[in-house]
Amino acid sequence: MSFVIPAYNEAGNIAEVIASVHAEATRLDLSHEILIVDDGSSDATCAEAMNAGTRAPVRVLRLSRNFGKEQAIMAGLGSALGDAVVILDADLQEPLSYFETMLRHYQNGYEMVYAVRAHRRDEPRAKRAFTRAFYKMLSLGSRVSIPTDARDFRLMDRRVVDALCALPERDRFMKGLYGWVGFRSIAVPIELEPRRNGTSKFGFAGLFRLALTGLTSFTDWPLRMWTGIGMAIASLSILYGGWIALRTLLFGVDVQGWSTLVVAVCLLGGVQLISIGVLGEYLARVFTEVKGRPGFIIAEETASDAARRQ
Ligand code: UDP
Ligand code: MG
């Protein structure tokens, strides 16, 4: 069993998470490795992880800079050796007590067992509204089901990991890709705990960027809807034009309507700019993929003695 733990500035948590994972895996009698992906931390995360590794089988992958959580996860999946892989946050928000349940499901034949938040009562109302809107938009016209409120905390069979690693796309929205690859999956509802140390790495801007990546990689309706909007506006304009022509014939010329003209010009200008902007988002995504740069760079890989002995 490989435990992949992405960590960005988690010096305060890393020793504890390694110790608890090691204890839990030993209790369940699992042959295991703990793979810490140091996502370009500027604090002592890397050193702390290696210190903690004197007792546990720890490998540390140090990425050359901060590439973001999705890429850190991919780096971990790419070098995990286990027959099964667990992804876990470094801040201990996801209680390890659920791991045994997940393992049971896995042993019963599920190839992917993922945690979902039982509720979001602890989050501000605005964030909940944004999340709901995001998942609504994501599911519009999509044939892949992307479970709402799923976490990265999950147990995956080797086949799932290989499928994920074989996908060529670089700018990744992992929650969508887990759904896209399919396999027999089951959800386990969990109660999140508050973060142990430090602060969340995802502010509004980070989440917004992730949402854009998700939407541009899993939907195409924002690109296509403009055909419909354009046809609707054109049809209405033709009707309105007909009505004006008729009115002019019946009641003569009428030079009023300055405000109508200004509103129409501004509104249409705005609508056109929005549609070009949407096009730009998708084009930017194509541009990123075409450049073909790797999603992450591993600067250094170290293994503790316990990991080397395995
Ligand atoms: N993380 C990462 N790279 C980043 C940001 C976050 O590897 O650029 C890791 C972080 O160390 C943690 C996990 O992703 O293990 C989840 O981050 P966080 O707890 O800040 O997110 P939240 O729980 O608030 O959604
Ligand atoms: Mg967290």
Side-chain angles (χ1 to χ4, degrees), residues 8-163:
Y8 177 50
N9 292 340
E10 303 279 6
N13 299 315
I14 205 80
E16 191 181 349
V17 74
I18 290 175
S20 23
V21 167
H22 183 52
E24 183 69 4
T26 313
R27 187 178 73 81
L28 295 168
D29 203 20
L30 289 172
S31 149
H32 63 284
E33 64 167 355
I34 302 170
L35 201 57
I36 306 292
V37 185
D38 172 16
D39 189 13
S41 302
S42 52
D43 66 359
T45 302
C46 198
E48 288 280 336
M50 292 207 242
N51 284 341
T54 49
R55 290 167 299 279
V58 173
R59 285 199 289 141
V60 182
L61 293 184
R62 185 168 64 79
L63 302 190
S64 59
R65 64 171 170 85
N66 181 244
F67 283 96
K69 184 182 183 189
E70 315 286 293
Q71 298 299 343
I73 290 176
M74 279 321 294
L77 293 185
S79 66
L81 301 169
D83 295 330
V85 177
V86 179
I87 302 171
L88 187 69
D89 278 1
D91 56 2
L92 292 156
Q93 272 194 287
E94 295 149 339
L96 263 178
S97 49
Y98 294 102
F99 174 63
E100 197 172 349
T101 318
M102 295 169 95
L103 189 64
R104 288 286 116 74
H105 284 307
Y106 173 64
Q107 285 162 343
N108 288 337
Y110 285 101
E111 291 153 312
M112 174 141 58
V113 189
Y114 58 94
V116 290
R117 308 187 60 154
H119 63 81
R120 283 181 180 266
R121 263 171 262 147
D122 51 330
E123 289 190 339
R125 189 164 292 179
K127 189 174 175 195
R128 271 186 284 172
F130 270 114
T131 313
R132 200 152 356 108
F134 168 68
Y135 277 104
K136 268 264 163 54
M137 288 200 276
L138 200 58
S139 63
L140 269 186
S142 160
R143 276 191 293 144
V144 190
S145 89
I146 300 172
T148 316
D149 300 338
R151 305 280 304 173
D152 284 314
F153 180 31
R154 58 187 65 220
L155 172 61
M156 294 181 287
D157 186 64
R158 169 55 42 197
R159 274 169 286 178
V160 183
V161 176
D162 287 345

Side-chain angles (χ1 to χ4, degrees), residues 67 70-71 168-174 177 209-210 212-214 216-218 281 284-286 288-289 293-295:
F67 283 96
E70 315 286 293
Q71 298 299 343
E169 78 193 83
R170 281 160 244 272
D171 193 12
R172 283 171 181 245
F173 178 63
M174 291 306 292
L177 293 177
R209 224 174 309 123
L210 189 63
L212 270 184
T213 305
T216 50
S217 48
F218 281 91
E281 287 301 330
R285 198 180 153 74
V286 173
T288 316
E289 297 296 331
R293 291 180 193 153

Side-chain angles (χ1 to χ4, degrees), residues 178-307:
Y178 299 134
W180 188 88
V181 294
F183 292 98
R184 281 194 296 271
S185 310
I186 189 169
V188 174
I190 67 166
E191 292 270 344
L192 285 189
E193 280 182 11
R195 196 173 222 292
R196 206 53 69 86
N197 278 301
T199 50
S200 171
K201 311 297 183 300
F202 286 95
F204 180 76
L207 286 176
F208 191 74
R209 224 174 309 123
L210 189 63
L212 270 184
T213 305
L215 286 176
T216 50
S217 48
F218 281 91
T219 61
D220 58 8
W221 62 261
L223 277 176
R224 293 162 176 249
M225 69 181 187
W226 299 103
T227 320
I229 294 178
M231 285 201 290
I233 293 179
S235 319
L236 286 176
S237 306
I238 290 171
L239 288 180
Y240 188 51
W243 156 245
I244 291 176
L246 195 67
R247 205 181 53 179
T248 311
L249 288 178
L250 291 180
F251 306 111
V253 186
D254 167 9
V255 277
Q256 279 169 6
W258 178 84
S259 46
T260 327
L261 204 65
V262 170
V263 170
V265 167
C266 291
L267 179 75
L268 282 182
V271 170
Q272 281 172 350
L273 285 180
I274 295 172
S275 72
I276 295 173
V278 170
L279 212 61
E281 287 301 330
Y282 283 84
L283 186 63
R285 198 180 153 74
V286 173
F287 183 49
T288 316
E289 297 296 331
V290 160
K291 278 186 287 191
R293 291 180 193 153
F296 54 87
I297 295 172
I298 297 175
E300 183 187 11
E301 183 173 349
T302 44
S304 71
D305 291 339

